[in-house]
């Protein structure tokens, strides 16, 4: 199957699009930081990092952030994260060496936590120390600690994925979903919502299982959308990545086209549960938690807007950088079932006690 | 060098020993749980897990816990953790397979977070689900989330260590210290202080950098003490584990005897900084935080009491199980320097802004 014959269904994302009005200022400042940060080994890497449009990405997650400096600090991490991902997680030699990647991940994570850590010659470490210092100053400390924990979760997921690659293991859907929650970086990203907005959600509300389930569901919808966005490129480059479609094929012996539709239905059922549970939580939630839940919606929609335009996921041949394709959206969910999905790693999202 | 010629310095631990008065009840109940949990593949494993004396260990960390059920729930995890460690982290085949261990760690961690996760035939998973359910019910949710994050940190450290083993990498001291903070399970253990005591430290105090530094220092002192406790056994079994002594030998070409003394001085300097910083924080800390800081002291002392008696670390030939050797303690720190240790991963503990 090739990109020419593969049909991708339209995405359903029933939230208003929004982008922070300072996105141009933000992009300019962020690129200045990228250029000064030392993370780019050369022009090709610099261009690839700029082409992630991380400013556009993050400005859609937190369109109402009041403080530009907070917005900038949290944006920088996205450039850093995409750059690190391309340089080390998805590229030889580390993408098949879980032993070496685990050691690098450990040092990188420690640099985030321990001011003054040694870079050991790794160019991504001093830049992360700079971001960590800015975040720690921005506070509150709970939000920074949550970001740190989310960052470790991300790196642990990447190690898992690299280990599968090394062992030539193909995860089935249940394992893939558990791993994808981590590799998506969703915990790190949504932990930055507080750092970016300066709004502090009380701990008892933020750590309530319902809030946790909603955060995981928003993460999963965005992550599965990114599997979709990158599918054409992976096909064209004959990459046999671990994604929701290969996992479905693994479990159910589907064709790729059938797996694409099945993946879309699975994704829509998660989105449907997200919307229902959010409605149930809203009346009892405080103002800050409701702002955070709105942020999850911005994240789902913003990620889908960004992912369908960003050169990172489009094959460069399909349209020059700078051309902004109009996006057509699905008007309805592809699957209206309210029943729990039969994957034990995520079935608890449908627990009736959450609502 | 053998155990007969190696001299281990006395430990300095200037805190009163204390043990929960219900420790016998606790051990009985916990062993009943171990027997019913399904984690023991046979009698040998059962005896090894019982011989960890996890009840004695944890009853020394939280000697004043008011609620026996909370105390029991948190005790169970220590039996589980030591058992998992021996079964998978330190044993073939996974102890040299970071690829397979990362996948197991991912599934185990997900089982902790997602009620109803599939065990996939791994006998340690259903027992962990049981513990997770008890912990989540005990609350508060922030403390459970912190335990979850600490649990991931532990598993990430074990993956790092196993990766080093697989690649035949010998970490130097700075890398070793960063890794040891994780492999010790200190974050998970001290996160359980709130779950065990039911005392909730306000987030702004718990996540303050000074509290974080104190938690890391207490963790490191206990972890280095465990390196010391297990050294004789490792020598006798000709295990060439990664520990503080092999790291010092790697960096400084010391003899083992010299490395033992150097490791002890390093450990005492951390303890000295811990005591100083705790004294500085006490006056501004609330009642709950001060109780937690007392808990860190109980942890250091309790771990040292336990580790010098537990069969896990003693060669069985040196004394029959049940015989409780008297412990002689050092009267003074082996190094009184207040200067920061020259290891970038931990130098921030001496940051003057913390005090």
């Amino acid at each position: 199957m090739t990109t020419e014959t593969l049909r991708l269904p339209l995405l359903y994302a029933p939230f208003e699009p929004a982008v922070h009005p300072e996105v141009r200022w933000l992009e300019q400042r962020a690129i200045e930081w990228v250029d000064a940060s030392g993370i780019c080994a050369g022009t090709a890497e610099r261009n690839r990092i700029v082409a992630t449009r991380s400013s556009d990405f993050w400005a859609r997650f937190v369109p109402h952030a009041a403080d530009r400096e907070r917005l900038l600090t949290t944006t920088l991490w996205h450039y850093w994260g995409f750059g690190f991902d391309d340089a080390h997680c998805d590229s030889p030699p580390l993408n098949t060496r879980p032993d070496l990647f685990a050691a690098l991940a450990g040092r990188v994570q420690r640099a985030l936590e321990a001011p003054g850590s040694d870079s050991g010659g790794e160019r991504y470490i001093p830049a992360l120390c700079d971001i960590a210092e800015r975040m720690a100053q921005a506070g509150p400390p709970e939000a920074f600690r949550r970001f740190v924990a989310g960052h470790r979760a991300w790196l642990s997921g990447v190690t898992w994925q690299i280990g599968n690659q090394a062992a030539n293991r193909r995860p089935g859907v249940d394992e893939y979903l558990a791993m994808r929650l981590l590799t998506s970086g969703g915990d790190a990203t949504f932990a930055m919502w507080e750092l970016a907005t300066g709004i502090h959600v009380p701990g008892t509300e933020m750590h309530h299982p319902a809030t946790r389930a909603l955060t995981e569901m928003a993460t999963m919808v965005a992550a599965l959308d990114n599997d979709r966005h990158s599918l054409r490129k992976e096909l064209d480059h004959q990459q046999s990545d671990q994604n929701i479609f290969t996992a479905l094929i693994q479990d159910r012996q589907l064709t790729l086209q059938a797996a694409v539709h099945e993946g879309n239905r699975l994704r829509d059922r998660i989105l449907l549960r997200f919307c229902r549970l959010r409605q149930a939580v809203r009346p009892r939630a405080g103002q800050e938690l409701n702002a955070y839940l709105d942020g999850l919606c911005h994240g789902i929609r913003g990620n889908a807007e960004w992912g369908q335009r960003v050169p990172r996921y489009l094959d460069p041949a399909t349209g020059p950088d700078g051309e902004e394709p109009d996006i057509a959206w699905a008007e309805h969910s592809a699957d209206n079932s309210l029943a729990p999905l039969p994957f034990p790693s995520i079935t608890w999202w449908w627990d009736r006690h959450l609502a």
Side-chain angles (χ1 to χ4, degrees), chain A:
Chain A
M1 174 144 306
T2 69
T3 56
E4 303 197 2
T5 55
L6 185 70
R7 281 165 292 117
L8 295 180
L10 301 181
L11 284 181
Y12 179 62
F15 310 110
E16 283 302 306
V19 61
H20 197 284
E22 297 274 23
V23 62
R24 293 299 151 228
W25 171 87
L26 185 65
E27 183 169 41
Q28 190 178 349
R29 289 288 307 276
I31 292 174
E32 286 168 15
W33 179 87
V34 167
D35 286 332
S37 71
I39 62 176
C40 305
T43 309
E45 183 165 19
R46 190 259 184 197
N47 291 345
R48 206 164 51 231
I49 290 172
V50 169
T52 64
R53 296 193 192 168
S54 296
S55 297
D56 178 69
F57 173 80
W58 187 235
R60 294 178 182 279
F61 275 65
V62 285
H64 309 304
D67 180 318
R68 294 204 306 190
E69 289 303 321
R70 285 181 172 278
L71 182 62
L72 176 62
T73 291
T74 45
T75 300
L76 299 182
W77 185 79
H78 295 285
Y79 285 99
W80 184 94
F82 282 125
F84 182 82
D85 200 49
D86 285 335
H88 292 308
C89 309
D90 290 339
S91 299
L94 294 189
N95 67 340
T96 55
R97 289 293 301 269
D99 52 342
L100 301 183
F101 186 81
L104 174 63
R107 287 169 46 218
V108 163
Q109 181 68 23
R110 187 63 190 159
L112 186 61
E113 299 183 81
S117 286
D118 185 26
S119 75
E122 167 52 53
R123 68 183 186 276
Y124 275 87
I125 285 183
L128 186 63
C129 291
D130 176 29
I131 295 171
E133 194 182 334
R134 293 169 187 238
M135 284 186 179
Q137 280 174 4
E142 292 106 304
F144 180 60
R145 285 307 307 169
R146 194 152 57 243
F147 172 74
V148 166
H151 202 268
R152 192 189 323 277
W154 168 55
L155 292 172
S156 77
V158 175
T159 309
W160 186 353
Q161 180 172 294
I162 287 174
N164 284 349
Q165 190 96 348
N168 213 14
R169 286 183 75 239
R170 291 300 179 119
V173 175
D174 188 52
E175 174 176 338
Y176 179 74
L177 293 174
M179 187 179 80
R180 193 68 179 96
L181 269 181
L182 304 172
T183 58
S184 65
D187 276 1
T189 298
F190 285 122
M192 278 191 288
W193 182 88
E194 282 189 319
L195 292 169
T197 62
I199 298 171
H200 177 55
V201 181
T204 46
E205 286 191 280
M206 181 57 98
H207 295 289
H208 189 283
T211 311
R212 178 74 200 150
L214 287 162
T215 302
E216 288 191 355
M217 285 191 272
T219 295
M220 188 62 88
V221 170
L224 297 182
D225 287 352
N226 292 348
D227 281 8
R228 173 192 181 281
H229 303 323
S230 56
L231 181 60
R232 285 190 197 277
K233 189 169 178 178
E234 285 172 12
L235 280 177
D236 285 350
H237 293 229
Q238 307 211 304
Q239 291 170 325
S240 55
D241 233 334
Q242 297 165 58
N243 58 48
I244 185 60
F245 312 112
T246 56
L248 281 163
I249 290 169
Q250 169 88 1
D251 274 5
R252 303 192 190 170
Q253 293 81 46
L254 303 176
T255 64
L256 177 57
Q257 185 64 65
V260 163
H261 284 290
E262 186 61 24
N264 191 52
R265 279 196 292 274
L266 185 158
R267 175 262 191 215
D268 277 2
R269 278 175 66 176
I270 297 170
L271 181 57
L272 208 60
R273 172 61 180 165
F274 171 87
C275 292
R276 287 281 178 130
L277 183 56
R278 175 169 169 251
Q279 288 308 324
V281 168
R282 281 186 73 86
R284 67 170 190 247
Q287 188 179 347
E288 297 84 3
L289 178 58
N290 271 323
Y292 174 77
L293 299 181
D294 291 347
L296 296 179
C297 300
H298 287 305
I300 292 172
R301 175 77 188 207
N303 180 73
E305 297 260 353
W306 163 86
Q308 292 180 81
R309 294 197 183 98
V310 67
R312 178 179 170 86
Y313 290 134
L314 300 175
D315 193 296
T318 62
D321 185 12
E323 183 182 304
E324 297 288 306
D326 278 343
I327 299 172
W329 298 90
E331 290 188 18
H332 307 286
S333 171
D335 190 327
N336 288 316
S337 169
L338 298 175
L341 281 166
F343 305 112
S345 290
I346 63 168
T347 302
W348 77 277
W349 294 341
W350 281 264
D351 188 326
R352 70 189 61 183
H353 301 299
L354 294 177

